[in-house]
Structure formats: structure tokens, C-alpha cells
Amino acid sequence: MDKIKVIQWGVGNMGSGMVKMILDKEGIEVVGAIDRKENEGKDLGEHIGIGRKLGITISSDPEKILSEVEADVVLLAIDSFVKGVEKQIKLICSHKMNCITIAEEMAYPFIAEPELSKEIDEIAKANGVTVLGTGVNPGFVLDTLIITLSAVCRSVKKIRAARINDLSPFGKTVMREQGVGLTVEEFMKGIEDGSVYGHVGFEESIPMIADALGIEIDEVKQTKEPIISNTHRETKDVVVEPGMVCGCNHCGYGLKNGEVVIALEHPQQIHPEIENIETGDYIWIEGDPNISLCIKPEVPGGIGTIATAVNMIPHVLNAKPGLVTMKDLPIPHAIMNDFRMHLTK
């Protein structure tokens, strides 16, 4: 059969990484690229910095590309929120193409946007395609991995997990969401007016875990505090001086009758190693038996997001039509042979 054909929508840090990963894989190919007006007309290969042309011209006209280019799936990497991607997802579905998005809220959008979730599910089913939201987190570390790890428990009472990670690989959008590069006063104002979000995902990961395991929760609470740098730090997108905000300590709690039954902690900052902060992913399950998992250093956020999205392509193509989540699909895994070998349809 022909190779699996992919359109990449959004060729920033994450989207470019997805294209590069696909170029190294068998049985799959990128056939189109959509991005902002400023990148219109550029060759995709030159834009992502691989030192050669791919013969794929970046377009800022989604309708044109989706109408003229034949593809099996669109990888959507443009926004964090359901409202920021729902029109694009509906357009993709209307062209009878499957969609994998790394918009964090799309990992489990039924709580934050129940009506839009229903609309997306309906248009996907009507066109016989599948929509998945995934990434490293939400999408894997603080939800799918926890759910999978619970398989060895006869019972689960409480869950606590922490992801202490490095934000440095991410681009301007994530830096803005986390308040990196702001003063403390600007950070707190951003929390109040909604321009600083912190981690987008607790309202998705906590209900996903609860629904998968059958744990009852009646409330999700969150706390957000600035992480203040004592040193100079910088990435290609942001510069932080001593006294400025280098990250956000964001925690989410799933409560039942006022008691925390699921606690997720996510302090993340740029270049934590500069101040001797060790990164890592940790999961503690209180149950029968108790389970403790430690991954050091943390699963790299950029690589993890890129790899999860690309590796889920066969599962999405195999899935039933509609809006699905990671808990609905088979166990995620790396694909080291031809991607077509993992198709069942």
C-alpha cells in the first residue's frame, strides 16, 4: 500500500520536530504544510533547518491545502485550547482526514468544553474520521502512564504524581503561558487576567485518570506560584535576569468530599540545572499494592510531545470514528519498523 500521508499544520518548534521525525521513519511521509502568513511560500525543508529542500511549499491557506493535497492524517500544532483549534479540527474532519492535535485541552476536552467536544465528535463521526489530543503532558506522563501503571493494583486509594521538567525546548507560546521572562508583579497580574495560564492540562488529566479507574471526584482545584530565578537564564525565545520569573509551580488536585484523592504537581522552568534543580517524573500510587515510579531526568518535553503525536498515528488510523482520548486507544509505543505494519484497517 501507499505510504501513510501526513499534512503538518503548524511548523514551529513542535511541528518542525514532527516533520523531522517522520522523515526518519519508514512507511510514512509528509505531503503538505500549513503555517502562518509570514512563512508562506517557503520550502518546508529549508524552514525546519534540515539543509535541503523537500519540495513542499508552506501555505497559509488551509482550505487550499486540504482540498488539493491527499492525506490520511493532519498533525495540528498551533494552540493549547479547544477554542483555539476547534474550527481547524472541524475543517480537517470535513475534508475526511483524521487529526492528531497537541492542544493540551484536547487531551480530555469534555470538562472544559463539553459542547464543543460534542460538536467535534459528531463531525468526526459524520465524516468517518478520528480526532485525538495528545502530547507528553497531558497525554502521557501525568495521565496515560499513571493509568497504565495502575493495572498492577487490585485497588487504588490515592494517587500523587510530580513532573519537574525543563521548559527550555519550547517556543514563545509556552513561555507566554508559563509567565517566563516576566517580573513577579507581571506574573501575578497575568494569573488574574488569564494571560498566564501555567500548565494547561490538570482539568484534563485528573478527570481522565478518575474516569479510567472509576475513582469518584467532585472538584478539581489548582494553585499557581511563580518560580523566581537567582541567575541569568535564556533560551532562543526568552531572556530571564535574576529576580524575574523563570517558570511556574502549578499543582492540581482532584477532591472527593474535601479530601485530595489525586494530586498532580508540575513545577516547570527554563534551565533548572543552573540552580541545581534535578528534573524527573514521579508517580506514587497508594493502594494494593503501593506503587512508586521514578524517571530521572524527566521525559524531555519537546521530544516527548513530538514522539507521542507521531507514534499515535497508526492507532488513530485504526480507531473508530469520533473524538477519542489516550485512555480509549491501545497502549502507546515507539515504532521502529514500517508504520504501515501497525495498521489493521
Side-chain angles (χ1 to χ4, degrees):
M1 64 173 290
D2 292 337
K3 291 183 178 181
I4 297 170
K5 295 178 172 59
V6 180
I7 292 174
Q8 181 64 52
W9 190 338
V11 286
N13 286 8
M14 297 300 101
S16 295
M18 293 174 199
V19 174
K20 291 175 183 176
M21 179 174 171
I22 291 170
L23 291 174
D24 286 335
K25 297 296 181 178
E26 297 180 45
I28 187 169
E29 62 181 341
V30 177
V31 294
I34 304 168
D35 203 51
R36 297 182 297 270
K37 191 73 174 179
E38 63 196 69
N39 292 320
E40 174 82 33
K42 294 180 180 179
D43 181 87
L44 179 60
E46 291 182 330
H47 176 73
I48 66 174
I50 61 172
R52 61 185 173 90
K53 291 186 176 182
L54 290 175
I56 298 171
T57 302
I58 298 172
S59 174
S60 62
D61 187 346
E63 180 63 49
K64 180 178 185 295
I65 296 298
L66 295 175
S67 297
E68 297 179 358
V69 178
E70 180 182 341
D72 301 294
V73 61
V74 177
L75 297 179
L76 185 63
I78 61 170
D79 201 275
S80 294
F81 301 95
V82 177
K83 288 182 178 178
V85 297
E86 58 101 1
K87 291 180 181 178
Q88 292 84 349
I89 291 174
K90 290 175 181 177
L91 180 62
I92 292 165
C93 291
S94 71
H95 285 273
K96 300 188 182 303
M97 297 179 188
N98 300 281
C99 177
I100 297 175
T101 175
I102 59 171
E104 289 95 326
E105 278 192 344
M106 282 299 299
Y108 208 72
F110 315 108
I111 306 302
E113 299 290 350
E115 290 304 315
L116 289 180
S117 298
K118 181 179 179 182
E119 291 174 15
I120 292 170
D121 183 56
E122 288 175 349
I123 192 171
K125 288 177 177 175
N127 286 279
V129 295
T130 304
V131 176
L132 171 70
T134 193
V136 73
N137 186 47
F140 187 71
V141 174
L142 292 185
D143 40 51
T144 303
L145 184 58
I146 295 171
I147 292 167
T148 304
L149 195 60
S150 74
V152 298
C153 296
R154 291 186 290 191
S155 64
V156 173
K157 294 180 180 178
K158 293 182 180 180
I159 292 168
R160 178 182 166 227
R163 175 163 169 78
I164 303 168
N165 75 306
D166 184 0
L167 283 176
S168 303
F170 291 90
K172 294 179 181 179
T173 299
V174 172
M175 297 302 166
R176 184 170 60 251
E177 293 172 354
Q178 298 293 331
V180 177
L182 301 180
T183 65
V184 174
E185 292 75 16
E186 290 170 337
F187 178 95
M188 299 310 296
K189 182 179 179 181
I191 293 293
E192 292 177 6
D193 65 25
S195 60
V196 175
Y197 319 129
H199 170 62
V200 179
F202 288 130
E203 289 188 337
E204 290 68 44
S205 294
I206 292 172
M208 187 195 299
I209 295 167
D211 289 348
L213 273 62
I215 295 174
E216 292 187 8
I217 58 172
D218 49 35
E219 184 180 11
V220 175
K221 286 187 175 181
Q222 302 184 56
T223 60
K224 305 172 188 178
E225 298 292 339
I227 301 174
I228 302 168
S229 183
N230 295 310
T231 60
H232 172 89
R233 314 183 192 194
E234 66 179 274
T235 72
K236 70 181 187 64
D237 293 307
V238 67
V239 174
V240 173
E241 300 296 348
M244 296 173 67
V245 176
C246 60
C248 180
N249 185 8
H250 193 170
C251 300
Y253 306 96
L255 295 90
K256 177 63 176 178
N257 298 325
E259 181 181 4
V260 175
V261 291
I262 300 174
L264 304 181
E265 304 165 6
H266 198 10
Q268 47 186 336
Q269 58 190 289
I270 62 169
H271 296 304
E273 74 284 353
I274 289 178
E275 296 192 23
N276 299 315
I277 302 297
E278 293 188 359
T279 64
D281 296 313
Y282 309 89
I283 298 171
W284 301 273
I285 297 177
E286 180 183 337
D288 178 18
N290 294 327
I291 303 293
S292 176
L293 176 71
C294 170
I295 301 173
K296 293 182 70 175
E298 95 282 16
V299 177
I303 295 172
T305 297
I306 291 162
T308 304
V310 174
N311 284 325
M312 289 306 295
I313 289 174
H315 283 336
V316 166
L317 297 183
N318 292 334
K320 63 182 181 181
L323 172 59
V324 300
T325 71
M326 291 293 283
K327 77 176 183 63
D328 303 317
L329 299 177
I331 298 170
H333 55 81
I335 297 175
M336 301 308 297
N337 57 351
D338 193 306
F339 267 58
R340 293 168 292 186
M341 299 295 292
H342 299 265
L343 297 178
T344 59
K345 290 184 178 180

